[in-house]
Amino acid sequence: MAEPAEDTEDIIGPSSAPATAESPSSTSTSPSHHGATQSQPPPVSATKPPAKRNAFTELMSPKPKAPISQAPQSMASKASQVIRGVWRGALGEYIEHPERFPSQVLRVTPNTVLLKDAFPKATIHLLLLPRSPAHYLLHPHAALADPAFLAMMRAEAASAAKLAAAELARQLGSFSATNRARDEALSKGAKDGEEERLPPGRDYEKEIRVGTHAHPSMAHLHVHIISRDMRSERVKHKKHYNSFTTQFFVPLADYPLAADDVRRETGFQNGNLKRDLVCWRCGKGFGGRFAELKRHLEEEFEAWRAE
Amino acid sequence: MAEPAEDTEDIIGPSSAPATAESPSSTSTSPSHHGATQSQPPPVSATKPPAKRNAFTELMSPKPKAPISQAPQSMASKASQVIRGVWRGALGEYIEHPERFPSQVLRVTPNTVLLKDAFPKATIHLLLLPRSPAHYLLHPHAALADPAFLAMMRAEAASAAKLAAAELARQLGSFSATNRARDEALSKGAKDGEEERLPPGRDYEKEIRVGTHAHPSMAHLHVHIISRDMRSERVKHKKHYNSFTTQFFVPLADYPLAADDVRRETGFQNGNLKRDLVCWRCGKGFGGRFAELKRHLEEEFEAWRAE
DNA sequence: TATTCCGATAGTGAC
DNA sequence: GTCACTATCGGAATGAG
């Protein structure tokens, strides 16, 4: 998804210093998801105990073995070499050299890189990339079967979702009825952050979705942090839209997937991408008429941000 | 096919005075066709005897009855009214008011109007329209089952084919090896028309094809007089090409069609239009790759005109 | 399912 | 099978010193 691209305006605040690592809390609360099924208890055979680990040990520890690994660790760096320079490996650049992309990278921790998707499919669209070579070339279903890795990604994603929600509030708060009191208080000089003095405003975290694609094209594991609206010039065809609005999109909260989860099936997922278009907000069907859906999404965007 | 359109250069000589009728020989020799099957003896139940008739009696005579008429005569003028002004009836304008299109109409006789196709699908592409209201809204298969009408159309088409061949010689003669001696004699001052003194040159009538479309879109009966090359910017998709290079194109020499002729079948003809593309000259297949065929046709055109 | 380019395919509207 | 316009659908290339 993300490739080195020209900078754009109106982004999630000024870019933080790219290589400035923040101290991550590797086992914080799960991000607030909405809709979709809830995650099952993790019955998957994992090699790591759910014991608490810090970021450094996480990165440096031995990698999970066979059950969740498609590419043995010994091949990981080799695969990384092969992938470098071709489009499938483009995200690797952000992992290895986040400092080269100050306008796209929002945050670097010992465990992850958070960046703006270069081809955003909604008003807010971020990617969370794990930095662990033992995991980042695995299929999401495999990597996220590792409980410790999953816990780390959930914690980092929760933080990223808060950042995304704050940016959504910044961009759309003034259009929101729910947010009006807070917005007016802010415009009267109240400072953001003084939460105790401000009206609560709209809960924009509910409008942020966090999850993976069932069959990613980019080799490096990436978790999408995306606003619900799907309003973007970069949404250009049915697969773009369906990859985020059908079960092709797997909420991070749903991991680890059960062994028989239908979302693992390629045929099922190919069908999802080709399915008739349905408005994510009102459920109206549009068949294959993508342009008509796009026009409809503009109207829904206006209504959605006005909520 | 032909609609009122802008004039173009490099056309079949200067436009003849449009409304100037020529005296047609209503029963002259058949046009020289090539390829395809030869015409069978006419076993079709026809209402008119094959007796010789002149143009006037042909136009004024009572119309053929049921066996070859889809629309009874009483309905013909009504249908003409309904069709006028919409695209299916566009050719009616040339029949009723040939004098309005001096740059497109090449010849008007009591029986026919000959005009340049406004969207030519080859180097030379003319349309021959019968003027008889009793025939011109019939399906070609029906109208051309009338022996007298067929004989008239063949005679007029033969004349049109000669005109087309002459224009082809004018445009392409200088590129032709076969034509070189004649071309050089002409360039040395010999006058065209003094056939006894000129080398024979290439027989361009062999490169002209005369026939109908099995399922025309334009309501008025029209016979195509078209050069073989299919080289034209107006050939824009598979159906354009296949409508002239498959059995969808029915040579005038093949009329009247037998009752069980496969070319009457809609399913067969729809299949012809959708068939994989094949070069008319070398037989090479191009699948559905129309753009590739187009590039190939440019090469074939060079070789063909050099023959 | 990365994008982009090209091109084949499909539906419509025309008065 | 009329044209012209829009758009959907489908494959192929994509890097690089």
Side-chain angles (χ1 to χ4, degrees), chain B residues 3-19:
Chain B
E3 292 180 358
E6 74 292 349
D7 200 5
T8 59
E9 77 248 289
D10 200 25
I11 310 297
I12 306 193
S15 307
S16 1

Side-chain angles (χ1 to χ4, degrees), chain B residues 140-216:
Chain B
H141 301 351
L144 296 168
D146 175 355
F149 180 76
L150 174 58
M152 179 277 290
M153 287 297 285
R154 278 186 174 150
E156 303 258 332
S159 175
K162 283 182 172 47
L163 191 157
E167 174 62 10
L168 207 53
R170 190 187 72 77
Q171 285 190 30
L172 304 183
S174 65
F175 299 94
S176 166
T178 309
N179 210 57
R180 186 164 303 146
R182 182 188 181 89
D183 195 56
E184 289 174 352
L186 281 169
S187 66
K188 284 172 184 167
K191 296 170 186 170
D192 208 349
E194 296 174 342
E195 296 299 330
E196 64 285 352
R197 294 184 167 193
L198 283 171
R202 183 171 174 179
D203 181 6
Y204 279 104
E205 275 195 64
K206 288 182 185 167
E207 313 300 339
I208 301 295
R209 302 191 301 136
V210 176
T212 67
H213 277 162
H215 298 300

